Amino acid sequence: MAPLLAVVGGADLPTHAVLALEALRKAAGRRNQPIALELRGAGSSNPLPESALGEARAVLLVGSGDLGEGRFGPLATARAAIEEVLADAGAVLDRALASEPASAAAAAGTRRLVAVTSCPTGIAHTFMAAEGIQTAAKALGHDVRVETQGSVGARDALTAAEIAAADIVLIAADKGVDRARFAGKRVYAAGTKAAIRDGKGLIATALAEAQMQPAGGAAETEGPARPAAAEAKAGAYKHLMTGVSFMLPFVVAGGLLIALAFAVGGIDAMAPGHAGTLGYALGEIGAKAAFALIVPALAGYIAYSIADRPGIAPGMIGGMLAANLQAGFLGGIAAGFIAGYTAAFLNRHIRLHKNLEGLKPVLILPLLATAITGLLMIYVVGVPVAAVLAALTSWLKGMQGASALVLGLILGGMMAVDMGGPINKAAYASAAALLSSGVDAPMAAVMLGGMTPPLGLALATRLFPARFTAPEREAGGAAAVLGAAFITEGAIPFAAADPLRVIPAMVAGSAAAGALALSLGVTLKVPHGGLFVLPIPNAVTNLPGAVIALVVGTAITAVLVGILKTRAA
């Protein structure tokens, strides 16, 4: 790829010029665009190399003063102020690249892309990433089709013909995505945040670095489609979030059915004496069917994320053993990772004659991986993990006073720190998994703490309209709806515009909501739904306390935002 030349004049503002130079270097790196940089001014000594002058596609002139413009002859030229680069180096770089001669742009050609986006809960980040890819592809002149794997399954599913015609496959996901249908295509995988923050850079990097997806199991397919550094960064977190995403429907269905059982048949609806009643039947479905599958589903899909289909059977069987050994969700997590890495290792190292290769996925891998996982769970992992879980469960159920206050502060604050990022998801996954062990207080702190940021910001746009721009005031209504539905990501646009003031206000409000919830004895049996699950009988313990915690947290966020933010320009 031909380099872009950039010359920054630093005579008047030398410090700002150096910062602008580094900003351009980083923006070019994100786009995988070679760039040659020169800083002109007193004391500078980094002239553009002669080789770059001969190969360049365009030149960007930043700042004022003598920039040596006579050297560049017929090269397409773009100009920018230093302040523009410091504000948004990526946009300035894109403008410079778009200024290249038409013949060069035509040579680059329009590419056909297909993409898949998915996040652990399949709600906000899934669709924000899809929008980021679509907007960036349109701006860059590429054709794109995006499949979103949301909470209700795939939407706008890619067809075989679309995949076959695509130049590359781009996966923006925070959980495992089945890549079998992309065999023989160039694939690049990243997280959803890369698509949300810098869609253009992600597409440019994908076009340059996508690698061929081979046929076969995940032990082969997991590595080539994603750079080693990115894969290592995702690592265990991505596998755990895949398991959590598949586990959540079991938790939601079981929790709501148990709540409905109590609503229909009273607090003792599930007692043996009520067998045959509707309440008893609902309780059986929720407690003995849905909840019984929570740990196996968690373990099975952790293993699936690591080893693809060969990991599902040993993972689920290991998860069932964890449940039977009273090791709960901690044992399920251990079983999932053991099964996944065992199946992946065996898949890589067992080599059979081609006539016998068909036996590997249906006989050899399930047998060996399940035996190894099961024996390790029974003889090594199960008992100590069960002891740890029992101690944790006992402590959480016995929380009161200061301990409940501190835990609520931590869980609530975590929900607001990165609004759907790894810290938020860690708190959420922990609380959701604890539901399977009968501990439902942390879920209350997590849900109320996650609802507070968008609700608080929506309230702030009404109480302090002068602190927000017109588009932000308009977005306040949408943020209120998202907050009511427990979609913390509704606060992201406000935090991105003014992170140093908005994020501390959100963390304070969410921490207060979480602390109040646990201090007042609020519990929650359902891991999602926001305000819409609060009216369901027995889904929430101490409903007035939950409302108080939510109102106080929302008010704290709104007032702090109004105090900390300056008047909008």
Side-chain angles (χ1 to χ4, degrees), residues 350-374:
I350 294 177
R351 292 288 181 263
L352 300 175
H353 188 274
K354 63 181 181 180
N355 294 331
L356 300 175
E357 190 69 22
L359 293 175
K360 191 162 74 169
V362 297
L363 174 61
I364 297 173
L365 291 180
L367 173 63
L368 294 180
T370 299
I372 293 170
T373 302

Side-chain angles (χ1 to χ4, degrees), residues 30 59 176 182-183 187 250 296 326-327 359 361 387 405 452 474 488 507 556:
R30 288 195 296 270
V59 60
F182 304 133
V187 178
F250 297 93
Q326 306 300 311
L359 293 175
L405 180 72
T452 296
E474 292 176 5
T488 316
V507 171
I556 289 174

Side-chain angles (χ1 to χ4, degrees), residues 63 90 227 229 250 385 403 499:
F250 297 93
V385 171
S403 61

Side-chain angles (χ1 to χ4, degrees), residues 125-408:
H125 276 65
T126 297
F127 301 102
M128 293 167 70
E131 183 179 355
I133 291 171
Q134 290 166 336
T135 302
K138 183 178 179 181
L140 294 172
H142 300 311
D143 294 330
V144 68
R145 272 273 288 113
V146 182
E147 172 185 309
T148 54
Q149 296 187 359
S151 56
V152 293
R155 180 184 295 178
D156 299 325
L158 300 172
T159 65
E162 288 171 332
I163 295 170
D167 293 304
I168 66 163
V169 178
L170 174 57
I171 297 173
D174 298 324
K175 68 183 189 72
V177 171
D178 185 1
R179 301 177 185 175
R181 56 183 169 153
F182 304 133
K185 304 299 296 185
R186 294 177 63 230
V187 178
Y188 184 85
T192 55
K193 281 196 173 181
I196 295 169
R197 291 179 174 175
D198 188 6
K200 291 180 181 178
L202 175 61
I203 289 175
T205 303
L207 288 170
E209 297 184 8
Q211 298 178 35
M212 194 63 67
Q213 178 78 15
E220 299 173 9
T221 62
E222 201 55 33
R226 188 185 186 118
E231 190 68 29
K233 185 177 180 181
Y237 171 78
K238 188 200 74 169
H239 304 317
L240 178 60
M241 288 299 104
T242 299
V244 170
S245 71
F246 282 98
M247 174 193 77
L248 282 178
F250 297 93
V251 182
V252 174
L256 283 174
L257 285 167
I258 291 171
L260 289 173
F262 291 141
V264 171
I267 196 65
D268 58 348
M270 297 170 63
H274 289 79
T277 65
L278 177 60
Y280 184 87
L282 291 173
E284 288 283 296
I285 297 169
K288 296 188 178 179
F291 266 34
L293 290 171
I294 288 174
V295 175
L298 173 66
Y301 283 99
I302 289 174
Y304 162 75
S305 179
I306 298 169
D308 205 24
R309 288 184 180 87
I312 292 181
M316 286 195 169
I317 294 168
M320 184 61 74
L321 284 170
N324 292 338
L325 293 167
Q326 306 300 311
F329 78 96
L330 290 179
I333 292 171
F337 281 104
I338 292 170
Y341 286 118
T342 299
F345 177 84
L346 295 173
N347 195 20
R348 277 197 307 269
H349 290 88
I350 294 177
R351 292 288 181 263
L352 300 175
H353 188 274
K354 63 181 181 180
N355 294 331
L356 300 175
E357 190 69 22
L359 293 175
K360 191 162 74 169
V362 297
L363 174 61
I364 297 173
L365 291 180
L367 173 63
L368 294 180
T370 299
I372 293 170
T373 302
L375 291 171
L376 285 174
M377 289 301 299
I378 292 172
Y379 290 111
V380 180
V381 177
V383 173
V385 171
V388 171
L389 181 69
L392 175 64
T393 302
S394 176
W395 176 73
L396 289 171
K397 286 185 174 180
M399 278 189 318
Q400 53 185 329
S403 61
L405 180 72
V406 172
L407 182 63

